[in-house]
Amino acid sequence: MEDKMLIRGGKPLSGAIDVQGAKNAALPVMAASILLKGQSLTLERVPNLHDIQTMAEMLRYLGTQVSFKNNCMTIDVPEKLKWETPAELVRKMRASSLVLGPLVARCGRAVLPLPGGCAIGSRPIDFHLKGLTKMGASIELEHGSVHASSQGRLKGTTIELDFPSVGATENLMMAASLAEGVTYIENAAQEPEIVNLANVLRLMGTPIKGAGTATIKITGQESLHSAQGEIIPDRIEASTYLIAGVASKGQVTVRGIEPEDLNALLAKLEEAGASIDIFNNEVTAKWAGDLNGVSLKTSPHPGFPTDTQPQFMAALCLASGTSVVNESVFDSRFLHINEFKKMGAKIDVQDNVAVVTGVSKLTGTEVHASDLRAGAALIILGLAAEGETLVCDLHHVWRGYEDLVSKMRSLGADLELVP
Ligand code: UD1
């Protein structure tokens, strides 16, 4: 797939797109297949993305058979699996660490080289490790890898997370599904992706209560069984297109979404002056005259998602007045700002707070994506800017957006991939 895109900006987007399955829901649900023995997991609405291929490669490496066609994935899991994960795959994608909990719960041991992923600040996995330790696993760090082991089954317990980490909540939910007894996760993440994972684990035979609230109760089982599940619609993809519609002074409808999952974003779009229409599973965002600046702070769900902060900031660059964007989930998730400035945006940063002073126009130039959502934000900025924008390092974007070029073109975007 090409790594550069040329965008001729200044044309309002208009039309409707169908939303893909959620990348961040599909990754943990795929990892949950590891809990099975001689059984299979079938999943509908799996997006065809680089990150999904990386997780499929990981599962194949461990010994499963993965087939993937027309967004339907079947993972056949044999009795025996490998428990050591390859560094190339883990470094390629941070979410590879989601295999740690299920591997140690089902194989009694696991080796995980410390993960890589998006360049958005230091992203340790200490909460995952602390939780697994509380369940009775021994954890050692050797030569840059985590070695986890368990004498017999993990033990159900109460784990209070220091922060409602999405990945830690998911890893521990999966591990607890094969533990002896009941596990409570307190201060759990409440994202819709957590609810999706709980629903699939339930279909596999794990009784789970409270997913989507701060306390999740998981009753561990000796073994789980084959299941057929479904991935929820991708709220971050949907948000990206809605913001692109408003930033380009147009109107975009996303179809097949759970509108409630977008509440925090829709409230901010409205506050900035966009008009929002919700009809069943469709949401339309429409530019209704110049945007005004708004302030926001990212926080765990149901707060404003950090994964739409760069895209929303792109829209705010052209709003009148001042916006204050406080990034409270990740350190250094402002790598897009230097690229925004190359196009004429006025932004001052102090620590995790960015003050955006709206300008009346942006001008296209060559910019580089530093991570997945920063890349999406630069595409939005290119669509809203005058002249031609060349967005480079698009490999980050292919990790998370299915058919982006054809979806954007169907909305009237004037863009093409260049070699
Ligand atoms: C997931 C999403 C990612 C999103 C993030 C926050 C997937 C595959 N990725 O990432 O797109 O941006 O949620 O909504 O679902 N932390 C620690 N120690 C830990 C774990 C996390 O300090 O053990 C910190 C992180 O550095 C970060 C914060 O907690 O500052 C939130 O991270 P977390 O919720 O775990 O994000 P991920 O699960 O990695």
Side-chain angles (χ1 to χ4, degrees), residues 23-25 27-28 51 94-95 97-98 120-129 163-168 170 189 191 193 235-236 299-301 305-307 328-331 333 372-373:
K23 167 181 89 73
N24 286 353
L27 293 171
D51 274 9
R94 183 188 150 78
S97 55
L98 291 167
I120 48 176
S122 64
R123 298 176 72 176
I125 56 165
D126 51 328
F127 304 154
H128 307 230
L129 303 182
F163 182 87
S165 153
V166 175
E170 292 166 343
E191 270 69 2
E193 292 75 17
R235 61 198 172 97
I236 309 300
S299 51
H301 193 77
T306 175
D307 283 353
S328 86
V329 178
F330 287 108
D331 291 332
R333 197 173 192 170
L372 166 57
R373 307 304 169 185

mmCIF file of all heavy atoms in Angstrom, residues 23-25 27-28 51 94-95 97-98 120-129 163-168 170 189 191 193 235-236 299-301 305-307 328-331 333 372-373, ligand 1:
data_model
loop_
_atom_site.group_PDB
_atom_site.id
_atom_site.type_symbol
_atom_site.label_atom_id
_atom_site.label_comp_id
_atom_site.label_asym_id
_atom_site.label_seq_id
_atom_site.Cartn_x
_atom_site.Cartn_y
_atom_site.Cartn_z
ATOM 1 N N LYS A 23 -11.600 -1.607 15.213
ATOM 2 C CA LYS A 23 -10.263 -2.196 15.369
ATOM 3 C C LYS A 23 -9.979 -2.519 16.833
ATOM 4 O O LYS A 23 -9.530 -3.615 17.162
ATOM 5 C CB LYS A 23 -9.204 -1.214 14.851
ATOM 6 C CG LYS A 23 -7.787 -1.567 15.237
ATOM 7 C CD LYS A 23 -6.786 -0.560 14.732
ATOM 8 C CE LYS A 23 -6.500 0.603 15.648
ATOM 9 N NZ LYS A 23 -5.677 0.268 16.839
ATOM 10 N N ASN A 24 -10.251 -1.544 17.707
ATOM 11 C CA ASN A 24 -9.868 -1.728 19.113
ATOM 12 C C ASN A 24 -10.765 -2.707 19.855
ATOM 13 O O ASN A 24 -10.461 -3.079 20.995
ATOM 14 C CB ASN A 24 -9.868 -0.377 19.835
ATOM 15 C CG ASN A 24 -8.671 0.466 19.433
ATOM 16 O OD1 ASN A 24 -7.776 -0.006 18.720
ATOM 17 N ND2 ASN A 24 -8.646 1.712 19.884
ATOM 18 N N ALA A 25 -11.875 -3.107 19.243
ATOM 19 C CA ALA A 25 -12.682 -4.186 19.830
ATOM 20 C C ALA A 25 -12.229 -5.521 19.257
ATOM 21 O O ALA A 25 -12.132 -6.530 19.967
ATOM 22 C CB ALA A 25 -14.160 -3.960 19.537
ATOM 23 N N LEU A 27 -9.272 -6.495 18.180
ATOM 24 C CA LEU A 27 -7.968 -7.004 18.635
ATOM 25 C C LEU A 27 -8.073 -7.825 19.926
ATOM 26 O O LEU A 27 -7.616 -8.975 19.970
ATOM 27 C CB LEU A 27 -6.961 -5.857 18.780
ATOM 28 C CG LEU A 27 -6.552 -5.177 17.467
ATOM 29 C CD1 LEU A 27 -5.738 -3.914 17.740
ATOM 30 C CD2 LEU A 27 -5.741 -6.136 16.588
ATOM 31 N N PRO A 28 -8.705 -7.305 21.002
ATOM 32 C CA PRO A 28 -8.824 -8.131 22.212
ATOM 33 C C PRO A 28 -9.725 -9.356 22.007
ATOM 34 O O PRO A 28 -9.442 -10.422 22.551
ATOM 35 C CB PRO A 28 -9.422 -7.178 23.263
ATOM 36 C CG PRO A 28 -9.980 -6.036 22.488
ATOM 37 C CD PRO A 28 -9.169 -5.935 21.233
ATOM 38 N N ASP A 51 -3.373 -3.743 11.500
ATOM 39 C CA ASP A 51 -3.278 -4.222 12.888
ATOM 40 C C ASP A 51 -3.983 -5.570 13.068
ATOM 41 O O ASP A 51 -3.541 -6.413 13.857
ATOM 42 C CB ASP A 51 -3.883 -3.196 13.862
ATOM 43 C CG ASP A 51 -2.851 -2.141 14.278
ATOM 44 O OD1 ASP A 51 -1.749 -2.112 13.702
ATOM 45 O OD2 ASP A 51 -3.169 -1.339 15.185
ATOM 46 N N ARG A 94 1.533 -2.501 19.729
ATOM 47 C CA ARG A 94 1.451 -2.556 21.170
ATOM 48 C C ARG A 94 0.344 -3.486 21.664
ATOM 49 O O ARG A 94 0.486 -4.167 22.675
ATOM 50 C CB ARG A 94 1.187 -1.136 21.684
ATOM 51 C CG ARG A 94 1.145 -1.044 23.155
ATOM 52 C CD ARG A 94 0.686 0.324 23.612
ATOM 53 N NE ARG A 94 0.012 0.176 24.878
ATOM 54 C CZ ARG A 94 0.623 0.014 26.027
ATOM 55 N NH1 ARG A 94 1.922 0.006 26.089
ATOM 56 N NH2 ARG A 94 -0.070 -0.151 27.140
ATOM 57 N N ALA A 95 -0.771 -3.523 20.904
ATOM 58 C CA ALA A 95 -1.905 -4.348 21.337
ATOM 59 C C ALA A 95 -1.566 -5.836 21.349
ATOM 60 O O ALA A 95 -2.351 -6.650 21.846
ATOM 61 C CB ALA A 95 -3.113 -4.084 20.446
ATOM 62 N N SER A 97 0.292 -7.065 23.312
ATOM 63 C CA SER A 97 0.383 -7.416 24.732
ATOM 64 C C SER A 97 -0.932 -8.003 25.244
ATOM 65 O O SER A 97 -0.976 -8.578 26.329
ATOM 66 C CB SER A 97 0.780 -6.203 25.562
ATOM 67 O OG SER A 97 -0.122 -5.153 25.316
ATOM 68 N N LEU A 98 -2.006 -7.895 24.449
ATOM 69 C CA LEU A 98 -3.292 -8.475 24.855
ATOM 70 C C LEU A 98 -3.263 -9.999 24.886
ATOM 71 O O LEU A 98 -4.180 -10.618 25.427
ATOM 72 C CB LEU A 98 -4.401 -8.014 23.894
ATOM 73 C CG LEU A 98 -4.752 -6.531 23.990
ATOM 74 C CD1 LEU A 98 -5.609 -6.102 22.812
ATOM 75 C CD2 LEU A 98 -5.474 -6.251 25.307
ATOM 76 N N ILE A 120 3.032 7.588 20.909
ATOM 77 C CA ILE A 120 2.309 8.587 21.692
ATOM 78 C C ILE A 120 2.631 8.457 23.171
ATOM 79 O O ILE A 120 1.790 8.110 23.979
ATOM 80 C CB ILE A 120 0.783 8.557 21.452
ATOM 81 C CG1 ILE A 120 0.221 7.133 21.538
ATOM 82 C CG2 ILE A 120 0.432 9.178 20.127
ATOM 83 C CD1 ILE A 120 -1.308 7.092 21.411
ATOM 84 N N GLY A 121 3.854 8.753 23.492
ATOM 85 C CA GLY A 121 4.219 8.807 24.904
ATOM 86 C C GLY A 121 4.613 7.459 25.458
ATOM 87 O O GLY A 121 4.524 6.437 24.784
ATOM 88 N N SER A 122 5.049 7.473 26.703
ATOM 89 C CA SER A 122 5.493 6.234 27.329
ATOM 90 C C SER A 122 4.255 5.408 27.644
ATOM 91 O O SER A 122 3.273 5.910 28.182
ATOM 92 C CB SER A 122 6.254 6.546 28.608
ATOM 93 O OG SER A 122 5.368 7.154 29.518
ATOM 94 N N ARG A 123 4.252 4.166 27.234
ATOM 95 C CA ARG A 123 3.060 3.347 27.435
ATOM 96 C C ARG A 123 3.444 2.035 28.104
ATOM 97 O O ARG A 123 3.555 1.004 27.471
ATOM 98 C CB ARG A 123 2.372 3.114 26.097
ATOM 99 C CG ARG A 123 1.918 4.401 25.463
ATOM 100 C CD ARG A 123 1.314 4.200 24.101
ATOM 101 N NE ARG A 123 -0.004 3.576 24.143
ATOM 102 C CZ ARG A 123 -0.738 3.375 23.059
ATOM 103 N NH1 ARG A 123 -0.293 3.712 21.881
ATOM 104 N NH2 ARG A 123 -1.924 2.805 23.165
ATOM 105 N N PRO A 124 3.629 2.067 29.406
ATOM 106 C CA PRO A 124 4.031 0.849 30.106
ATOM 107 C C PRO A 124 2.875 -0.148 30.220
ATOM 108 O O PRO A 124 1.735 0.176 29.895
ATOM 109 C CB PRO A 124 4.427 1.362 31.492
ATOM 110 C CG PRO A 124 3.683 2.629 31.672
ATOM 111 C CD PRO A 124 3.457 3.201 30.303
ATOM 112 N N ILE A 125 3.182 -1.372 30.665
ATOM 113 C CA ILE A 125 2.118 -2.364 30.902
ATOM 114 C C ILE A 125 2.139 -2.817 32.363
ATOM 115 O O ILE A 125 1.758 -3.940 32.689
ATOM 116 C CB ILE A 125 2.195 -3.579 29.944
ATOM 117 C CG1 ILE A 125 3.562 -4.266 30.011
ATOM 118 C CG2 ILE A 125 1.880 -3.179 28.514
ATOM 119 C CD1 ILE A 125 3.547 -5.659 29.376
ATOM 120 N N ASP A 126 2.570 -1.900 33.247
ATOM 121 C CA ASP A 126 2.686 -2.285 34.655
ATOM 122 C C ASP A 126 1.341 -2.680 35.286
ATOM 123 O O ASP A 126 1.291 -3.577 36.131
ATOM 124 C CB ASP A 126 3.371 -1.168 35.468
ATOM 125 C CG ASP A 126 2.745 0.191 35.252
ATOM 126 O OD1 ASP A 126 2.252 0.451 34.134
ATOM 127 O OD2 ASP A 126 2.721 1.005 36.189
ATOM 128 N N PHE A 127 0.237 -2.052 34.868
ATOM 129 C CA PHE A 127 -1.063 -2.413 35.463
ATOM 130 C C PHE A 127 -1.441 -3.854 35.082
ATOM 131 O O PHE A 127 -2.023 -4.592 35.882
ATOM 132 C CB PHE A 127 -2.192 -1.482 34.999
ATOM 133 C CG PHE A 127 -1.947 -0.020 35.243
ATOM 134 C CD1 PHE A 127 -2.558 0.933 34.434
ATOM 135 C CD2 PHE A 127 -1.112 0.427 36.271
ATOM 136 C CE1 PHE A 127 -2.345 2.288 34.633
ATOM 137 C CE2 PHE A 127 -0.898 1.778 36.478
ATOM 138 C CZ PHE A 127 -1.509 2.713 35.650
ATOM 139 N N HIS A 128 -1.117 -4.221 33.838
ATOM 140 C CA HIS A 128 -1.413 -5.591 33.392
ATOM 141 C C HIS A 128 -0.645 -6.575 34.291
ATOM 142 O O HIS A 128 -1.189 -7.572 34.763
ATOM 143 C CB HIS A 128 -0.947 -5.822 31.953
ATOM 144 C CG HIS A 128 -1.439 -4.824 30.930
ATOM 145 N ND1 HIS A 128 -2.014 -5.210 29.751
ATOM 146 C CD2 HIS A 128 -1.419 -3.471 30.907
ATOM 147 C CE1 HIS A 128 -2.331 -4.130 29.033
ATOM 148 N NE2 HIS A 128 -1.972 -3.066 29.719
ATOM 149 N N LEU A 129 0.635 -6.254 34.505
ATOM 150 C CA LEU A 129 1.508 -7.179 35.239
ATOM 151 C C LEU A 129 1.117 -7.248 36.715
ATOM 152 O O LEU A 129 1.093 -8.319 37.312
ATOM 153 C CB LEU A 129 2.972 -6.752 35.089
ATOM 154 C CG LEU A 129 3.476 -6.657 33.638
ATOM 155 C CD1 LEU A 129 4.956 -6.278 33.606
ATOM 156 C CD2 LEU A 129 3.257 -7.968 32.879
ATOM 157 N N PHE A 163 -5.495 3.217 37.229
ATOM 158 C CA PHE A 163 -6.107 4.062 36.187
ATOM 159 C C PHE A 163 -6.954 3.104 35.349
ATOM 160 O O PHE A 163 -6.557 1.953 35.155
ATOM 161 C CB PHE A 163 -4.984 4.691 35.328
ATOM 162 C CG PHE A 163 -5.487 5.627 34.258
ATOM 163 C CD1 PHE A 163 -5.721 6.967 34.526
ATOM 164 C CD2 PHE A 163 -5.732 5.153 32.971
ATOM 165 C CE1 PHE A 163 -6.182 7.826 33.526
ATOM 166 C CE2 PHE A 163 -6.197 6.002 31.974
ATOM 167 C CZ PHE A 163 -6.422 7.346 32.253
ATOM 168 N N PRO A 164 -8.118 3.559 34.864
ATOM 169 C CA PRO A 164 -8.964 2.634 34.089
ATOM 170 C C PRO A 164 -8.376 2.321 32.704
ATOM 171 O O PRO A 164 -8.905 2.743 31.679
ATOM 172 C CB PRO A 164 -10.301 3.370 33.989
ATOM 173 C CG PRO A 164 -9.996 4.802 34.234
ATOM 174 C CD PRO A 164 -8.773 4.859 35.100
ATOM 175 N N SER A 165 -7.275 1.602 32.707
ATOM 176 C CA SER A 165 -6.590 1.249 31.457
ATOM 177 C C SER A 165 -7.434 0.255 30.659
ATOM 178 O O SER A 165 -7.890 -0.762 31.192
ATOM 179 C CB SER A 165 -5.228 0.637 31.796
ATOM 180 O OG SER A 165 -4.809 -0.248 30.783
ATOM 181 N N VAL A 166 -7.596 0.566 29.379
ATOM 182 C CA VAL A 166 -8.391 -0.291 28.500
ATOM 183 C C VAL A 166 -7.709 -1.655 28.346
ATOM 184 O O VAL A 166 -8.304 -2.712 28.579
ATOM 185 C CB VAL A 166 -8.575 0.386 27.119
ATOM 186 C CG1 VAL A 166 -9.285 -0.522 26.146
ATOM 187 C CG2 VAL A 166 -9.322 1.706 27.274
ATOM 188 N N GLY A 167 -6.434 -1.627 27.966
ATOM 189 C CA GLY A 167 -5.716 -2.878 27.723
ATOM 190 C C GLY A 167 -5.600 -3.737 28.973
ATOM 191 O O GLY A 167 -5.746 -4.964 28.908
ATOM 192 N N ALA A 168 -5.323 -3.102 30.132
ATOM 193 C CA ALA A 168 -5.187 -3.890 31.367
ATOM 194 C C ALA A 168 -6.522 -4.533 31.725
ATOM 195 O O ALA A 168 -6.588 -5.713 32.099
ATOM 196 C CB ALA A 168 -4.692 -2.999 32.504
ATOM 197 N N GLU A 170 -8.865 -5.426 29.712
ATOM 198 C CA GLU A 170 -9.119 -6.526 28.773
ATOM 199 C C GLU A 170 -8.257 -7.750 29.083
ATOM 200 O O GLU A 170 -8.752 -8.885 29.130
ATOM 201 C CB GLU A 170 -8.867 -6.032 27.339
ATOM 202 C CG GLU A 170 -9.903 -5.003 26.921
ATOM 203 C CD GLU A 170 -9.561 -4.207 25.669
ATOM 204 O OE1 GLU A 170 -8.376 -4.196 25.253
ATOM 205 O OE2 GLU A 170 -10.463 -3.574 25.115
ATOM 206 N N ALA A 189 -11.871 0.011 33.025
ATOM 207 C CA ALA A 189 -12.228 0.849 31.870
ATOM 208 C C ALA A 189 -13.672 0.538 31.484
ATOM 209 O O ALA A 189 -14.147 -0.584 31.672
ATOM 210 C CB ALA A 189 -11.287 0.546 30.710
ATOM 211 N N GLU A 191 -15.070 1.504 28.342
ATOM 212 C CA GLU A 191 -15.230 1.724 26.900
ATOM 213 C C GLU A 191 -16.177 0.673 26.288
ATOM 214 O O GLU A 191 -16.248 -0.460 26.766
ATOM 215 C CB GLU A 191 -13.847 1.603 26.216
ATOM 216 C CG GLU A 191 -13.041 2.889 26.109
ATOM 217 C CD GLU A 191 -12.519 3.452 27.427
ATOM 218 O OE1 GLU A 191 -12.737 2.827 28.484
ATOM 219 O OE2 GLU A 191 -11.904 4.534 27.404
ATOM 220 N N GLU A 193 -15.676 -1.048 23.814
ATOM 221 C CA GLU A 193 -14.882 -2.215 23.400
ATOM 222 C C GLU A 193 -14.785 -3.244 24.533
ATOM 223 O O GLU A 193 -14.657 -4.440 24.287
ATOM 224 C CB GLU A 193 -13.468 -1.769 22.969
ATOM 225 C CG GLU A 193 -13.438 -0.939 21.674
ATOM 226 C CD GLU A 193 -13.927 0.504 21.829
ATOM 227 O OE1 GLU A 193 -13.997 0.995 22.974
ATOM 228 O OE2 GLU A 193 -14.255 1.133 20.800
ATOM 229 N N ARG A 235 -16.285 3.445 16.608
ATOM 230 C CA ARG A 235 -16.688 4.818 16.964
ATOM 231 C C ARG A 235 -15.609 5.827 16.593
ATOM 232 O O ARG A 235 -15.894 6.997 16.358
ATOM 233 C CB ARG A 235 -17.056 4.906 18.452
ATOM 234 C CG ARG A 235 -15.930 4.562 19.376
ATOM 235 C CD ARG A 235 -16.391 4.234 20.785
ATOM 236 N NE ARG A 235 -15.253 3.731 21.554
ATOM 237 C CZ ARG A 235 -14.517 4.466 22.361
ATOM 238 N NH1 ARG A 235 -14.833 5.722 22.579
ATOM 239 N NH2 ARG A 235 -13.488 3.949 22.994
ATOM 240 N N ILE A 236 -14.349 5.378 16.538
ATOM 241 C CA ILE A 236 -13.278 6.322 16.203
ATOM 242 C C ILE A 236 -13.266 6.584 14.694
ATOM 243 O O ILE A 236 -13.092 7.728 14.254
ATOM 244 C CB ILE A 236 -11.899 5.805 16.675
ATOM 245 C CG1 ILE A 236 -11.956 5.383 18.157
ATOM 246 C CG2 ILE A 236 -10.817 6.852 16.425
ATOM 247 C CD1 ILE A 236 -12.329 6.471 19.128
ATOM 248 N N SER A 299 -10.440 12.105 28.367
ATOM 249 C CA SER A 299 -10.473 11.263 29.566
ATOM 250 C C SER A 299 -11.060 9.907 29.196
ATOM 251 O O SER A 299 -11.615 9.743 28.108
ATOM 252 C CB SER A 299 -11.279 11.936 30.683
ATOM 253 O OG SER A 299 -12.527 12.339 30.206
ATOM 254 N N PRO A 300 -10.946 8.926 30.097
ATOM 255 C CA PRO A 300 -11.495 7.600 29.780
ATOM 256 C C PRO A 300 -13.004 7.693 29.502
ATOM 257 O O PRO A 300 -13.660 8.630 29.964
ATOM 258 C CB PRO A 300 -11.221 6.804 31.051
ATOM 259 C CG PRO A 300 -10.082 7.499 31.711
ATOM 260 C CD PRO A 300 -10.257 8.945 31.393
ATOM 261 N N HIS A 301 -13.538 6.734 28.764
ATOM 262 C CA HIS A 301 -14.959 6.694 28.435
ATOM 263 C C HIS A 301 -15.790 6.741 29.716
ATOM 264 O O HIS A 301 -15.431 6.100 30.685
ATOM 265 C CB HIS A 301 -15.253 5.380 27.681
ATOM 266 C CG HIS A 301 -16.592 5.373 27.021
ATOM 267 N ND1 HIS A 301 -16.842 6.043 25.853
ATOM 268 C CD2 HIS A 301 -17.756 4.780 27.383
ATOM 269 C CE1 HIS A 301 -18.107 5.859 25.510
ATOM 270 N NE2 HIS A 301 -18.679 5.106 26.422
ATOM 271 N N PRO A 305 -12.792 11.035 23.878
ATOM 272 C CA PRO A 305 -11.754 10.034 23.605
ATOM 273 C C PRO A 305 -10.435 10.629 23.109
ATOM 274 O O PRO A 305 -10.434 11.472 22.209
ATOM 275 C CB PRO A 305 -12.366 9.152 22.509
ATOM 276 C CG PRO A 305 -13.620 9.784 22.078
ATOM 277 C CD PRO A 305 -13.920 10.965 22.953
ATOM 278 N N THR A 306 -9.358 10.192 23.694
ATOM 279 C CA THR A 306 -8.029 10.626 23.240
ATOM 280 C C THR A 306 -7.819 10.264 21.777
ATOM 281 O O THR A 306 -7.100 10.957 21.057
ATOM 282 C CB THR A 306 -6.925 10.028 24.134
ATOM 283 O OG1 THR A 306 -5.656 10.373 23.583
ATOM 284 C CG2 THR A 306 -6.999 8.523 24.249
ATOM 285 N N ASP A 307 -8.466 9.196 21.310
ATOM 286 C CA ASP A 307 -8.273 8.769 19.921
ATOM 287 C C ASP A 307 -8.970 9.671 18.898
ATOM 288 O O ASP A 307 -8.818 9.458 17.695
ATOM 289 C CB ASP A 307 -8.755 7.326 19.721
ATOM 290 C CG ASP A 307 -7.769 6.314 20.277
ATOM 291 O OD1 ASP A 307 -6.670 6.699 20.694
ATOM 292 O OD2 ASP A 307 -8.108 5.107 20.291
ATOM 293 N N SER A 328 -5.272 14.350 28.748
ATOM 294 C CA SER A 328 -4.983 13.824 30.081
ATOM 295 C C SER A 328 -4.754 12.317 30.090
ATOM 296 O O SER A 328 -4.424 11.739 31.120
ATOM 297 C CB SER A 328 -6.115 14.195 31.056
ATOM 298 O OG SER A 328 -7.145 13.240 30.983
ATOM 299 N N VAL A 329 -4.936 11.638 28.953
ATOM 300 C CA VAL A 329 -4.771 10.175 28.946
ATOM 301 C C VAL A 329 -3.333 9.775 28.627
ATOM 302 O O VAL A 329 -2.758 8.908 29.280
ATOM 303 C CB VAL A 329 -5.769 9.505 27.966
ATOM 304 C CG1 VAL A 329 -5.566 7.999 27.936
ATOM 305 C CG2 VAL A 329 -7.204 9.842 28.360
ATOM 306 N N PHE A 330 -2.747 10.418 27.606
ATOM 307 C CA PHE A 330 -1.370 10.086 27.222
ATOM 308 C C PHE A 330 -0.452 11.294 27.350
ATOM 309 O O PHE A 330 -0.863 12.428 27.116
ATOM 310 C CB PHE A 330 -1.311 9.609 25.766
ATOM 311 C CG PHE A 330 -1.873 8.230 25.569
ATOM 312 C CD1 PHE A 330 -3.087 8.052 24.936
ATOM 313 C CD2 PHE A 330 -1.198 7.111 26.027
ATOM 314 C CE1 PHE A 330 -3.620 6.783 24.748
ATOM 315 C CE2 PHE A 330 -1.719 5.836 25.853
ATOM 316 C CZ PHE A 330 -2.933 5.674 25.217
ATOM 317 N N ASP A 331 0.815 11.013 27.682
ATOM 318 C CA ASP A 331 1.855 12.035 27.582
ATOM 319 C C ASP A 331 2.221 12.134 26.108
ATOM 320 O O ASP A 331 2.148 11.145 25.394
ATOM 321 C CB ASP A 331 3.130 11.567 28.306
ATOM 322 C CG ASP A 331 2.932 11.521 29.799
ATOM 323 O OD1 ASP A 331 2.108 12.296 30.291
ATOM 324 O OD2 ASP A 331 3.604 10.690 30.443
ATOM 325 N N ARG A 333 0.942 13.264 23.376
ATOM 326 C CA ARG A 333 0.082 12.948 22.236
ATOM 327 C C ARG A 333 -0.201 14.218 21.432
ATOM 328 O O ARG A 333 -1.325 14.465 21.008
ATOM 329 C CB ARG A 333 -1.218 12.286 22.679
ATOM 330 C CG ARG A 333 -1.849 11.607 21.481
ATOM 331 C CD ARG A 333 -3.030 10.770 21.750
ATOM 332 N NE ARG A 333 -3.295 9.985 20.549
ATOM 333 C CZ ARG A 333 -4.147 9.007 20.465
ATOM 334 N NH1 ARG A 333 -4.840 8.638 21.525
ATOM 335 N NH2 ARG A 333 -4.325 8.348 19.338
ATOM 336 N N LEU A 372 -1.187 6.753 14.094
ATOM 337 C CA LEU A 372 -2.449 6.496 13.390
ATOM 338 C C LEU A 372 -3.409 7.684 13.377
ATOM 339 O O LEU A 372 -3.840 8.153 12.320
ATOM 340 C CB LEU A 372 -3.101 5.266 14.053
ATOM 341 C CG LEU A 372 -4.544 4.930 13.767
ATOM 342 C CD1 LEU A 372 -4.788 4.752 12.284
ATOM 343 C CD2 LEU A 372 -4.923 3.646 14.509
ATOM 344 N N ARG A 373 -3.775 8.190 14.552
ATOM 345 C CA ARG A 373 -4.792 9.254 14.575
ATOM 346 C C ARG A 373 -4.225 10.592 14.139
ATOM 347 O O ARG A 373 -4.955 11.439 13.623
ATOM 348 C CB ARG A 373 -5.431 9.344 15.966
ATOM 349 C CG ARG A 373 -5.995 8.032 16.499
ATOM 350 C CD ARG A 373 -7.016 7.368 15.591
ATOM 351 N NE ARG A 373 -7.315 5.997 16.049
ATOM 352 C CZ ARG A 373 -8.090 5.126 15.408
ATOM 353 N NH1 ARG A 373 -8.647 5.453 14.241
ATOM 354 N NH2 ARG A 373 -8.295 3.921 15.889
HETATM 355 C C1 UD1 B 1 -6.301 1.595 24.145
HETATM 356 C C2 UD1 B 1 -6.535 1.810 22.668
HETATM 357 C C3 UD1 B 1 -5.943 3.139 22.242
HETATM 358 C C4 UD1 B 1 -6.513 4.272 23.090
HETATM 359 C C5 UD1 B 1 -6.359 3.970 24.583
HETATM 360 C C6 UD1 B 1 -7.033 4.983 25.472
HETATM 361 C C7 UD1 B 1 -6.540 -0.459 21.810
HETATM 362 C C8 UD1 B 1 -5.850 -1.491 21.007
HETATM 363 N N1 UD1 B 1 -5.898 0.724 21.938
HETATM 364 O O1 UD1 B 1 -4.887 1.579 24.333
HETATM 365 O O2 UD1 B 1 -6.267 3.350 20.861
HETATM 366 O O3 UD1 B 1 -5.843 5.461 22.799
HETATM 367 O O4 UD1 B 1 -6.907 2.668 24.875
HETATM 368 O O5 UD1 B 1 -8.371 5.072 25.163
HETATM 369 O O6 UD1 B 1 -7.624 -0.653 22.314
HETATM 370 N N2 UD1 B 1 -0.924 2.915 31.400
HETATM 371 C C9 UD1 B 1 0.038 2.673 32.350
HETATM 372 N N3 UD1 B 1 0.287 1.383 32.705
HETATM 373 C C10 UD1 B 1 -0.374 0.337 32.144
HETATM 374 C C11 UD1 B 1 -1.357 0.597 31.164
HETATM 375 C C12 UD1 B 1 -1.623 1.902 30.814
HETATM 376 O O7 UD1 B 1 0.648 3.603 32.885
HETATM 377 O O8 UD1 B 1 -0.102 -0.810 32.502
HETATM 378 C C13 UD1 B 1 -1.225 4.315 31.010
HETATM 379 C C14 UD1 B 1 -0.830 4.577 29.554
HETATM 380 O O9 UD1 B 1 0.514 4.901 29.443
HETATM 381 C C15 UD1 B 1 -1.752 5.713 29.200
HETATM 382 C C16 UD1 B 1 -3.021 5.401 29.998
HETATM 383 O O10 UD1 B 1 -2.614 4.510 31.042
HETATM 384 O O11 UD1 B 1 -1.216 6.933 29.642
HETATM 385 C C17 UD1 B 1 -4.140 4.771 29.205
HETATM 386 O O12 UD1 B 1 -3.698 3.625 28.541
HETATM 387 P P1 UD1 B 1 -4.640 2.402 28.195
HETATM 388 O O13 UD1 B 1 -6.052 2.719 28.507
HETATM 389 O O14 UD1 B 1 -4.040 1.182 28.773
HETATM 390 O O15 UD1 B 1 -4.491 2.344 26.610
HETATM 391 P P2 UD1 B 1 -4.273 1.072 25.717
HETATM 392 O O16 UD1 B 1 -5.073 -0.061 26.212
HETATM 393 O O17 UD1 B 1 -2.837 0.879 25.446
#
